[in-house]
Amino acid sequence: MNAEFLLTAFVVVLLPGTGVLYTLAVGLGLGARAASLAALGCTLGMLPQLLLATFGLSLILQASAASFQFIRLLGTAYLLFIAWQVFRGSGALALDSASSPRSIPQLVGTGLWLNLLNPKLGLFFLAFLPQFVPAGSEDTRGLFLMLGLVFALMTLIVFIGYGLLASWVRDYVIGRPAVMTLIRWSFTLAFVVLALRLAVETLQP
């Protein structure tokens, strides 16, 4: 485990994506506890992808255009569904002061599915992690998995941080309907853009 990996992974985790947006939206709408559960769900959704990459099964996905396209379309549809939930203020995403508590399975499950239905995540692990596995290592697979687990733990910590920040901001904006409407539209648009980006993804780098 070297400092270069930790720094690079930290920068990658900080970059905004579906998990960051989901955690921020939940933090704004439902507070710190709900945001932490959302972050946990996003992290859990990474683990099957990491295992697939560790044992080479992501290579099957990479080689099978039909499988990739199927999961890509499911992921696109799910992101559009999330955008619709944000717009309507329903499901795990409700950006208003009257938001009722959401169940743990609902909060965790939404984050989990966001990453499970992202076909590029496993391929990202295959492209990113081997750069930090020393050539000639006796247990290449074990080191690959360990690096992936560290990346997942870092993701959980950073996402919780994002969620806590959003919940802090929530106290200042939740009682301002005009601001909350702007935030709702912004998150809706962001999820639509991510859905469209995934819709045009290909297996080529």
Side-chain angles (χ1 to χ4, degrees):
M1 191 76 59
N2 57 46
E4 182 184 3
F5 167 74
L6 294 175
L7 178 60
T8 306
F10 181 68
V11 172
V12 171
V13 171
L14 282 177
L15 295 175
T18 54
V20 170
L21 284 176
Y22 173 60
T23 306
L24 287 173
V26 171
L28 279 170
L30 300 171
R33 178 179 177 275
S36 298
L37 291 171
L40 176 62
C42 292
T43 305
L44 291 177
M46 296 174 61
L47 298 182
Q49 298 270 25
L50 174 60
L51 291 176
L52 288 175
T54 301
F55 294 100
L57 298 180
S58 286
L59 293 174
I60 298 175
L61 177 64
Q62 189 173 22
S64 173
S67 298
F68 178 88
Q69 299 301 338
F70 177 71
I71 297 176
R72 178 180 61 82
L73 290 175
L74 283 179
T76 299
Y78 193 67
L79 282 172
L80 290 174
F81 171 68
I82 292 298
W84 177 247
Q85 282 194 319
V86 175
F87 178 71
R88 295 196 59 188
S90 60
L93 299 164
L95 304 179
D96 58 70
S97 58
S99 300
S100 59
R102 300 303 192 266
S103 68
I104 292 177
Q106 189 175 25
L107 291 166
V108 174
T110 300
L112 187 147
W113 282 109
L114 279 174
N115 276 337
L116 279 182
L117 294 177
N118 181 1
K120 297 290 283 188
L121 184 56
L123 302 182
F124 162 77
F125 282 132
L126 285 176
F128 178 69
L129 296 180
Q131 302 176 59
F132 304 98
V133 177
S137 298
E138 294 184 3
D139 187 12
T140 301
R141 182 174 291 175
L143 183 55
F144 182 98
L145 180 59
M146 182 183 71
L147 290 174
L149 291 174
V150 171
F151 184 89
L153 178 61
M154 190 177 296
T155 298
L156 176 63
I157 294 171
V158 170
F159 279 22
I160 288 176
Y162 272 125
L164 293 178
L165 176 63
S167 67
W168 176 74
V169 173
R170 178 180 189 268
D171 294 335
Y172 295 92
V173 301
I174 199 69
R176 302 178 181 179
V179 176
M180 292 307 295
T181 298
L182 178 61
I183 291 174
R184 181 181 295 110
W185 276 99
S186 298
F187 274 103
T188 299
L189 179 61
F191 276 112
V192 169
V193 169
L194 287 171
L196 294 177
R197 190 175 71 176
L198 181 58
V200 299
E201 283 280 11
T202 65
L203 285 172
Q204 285 73 35

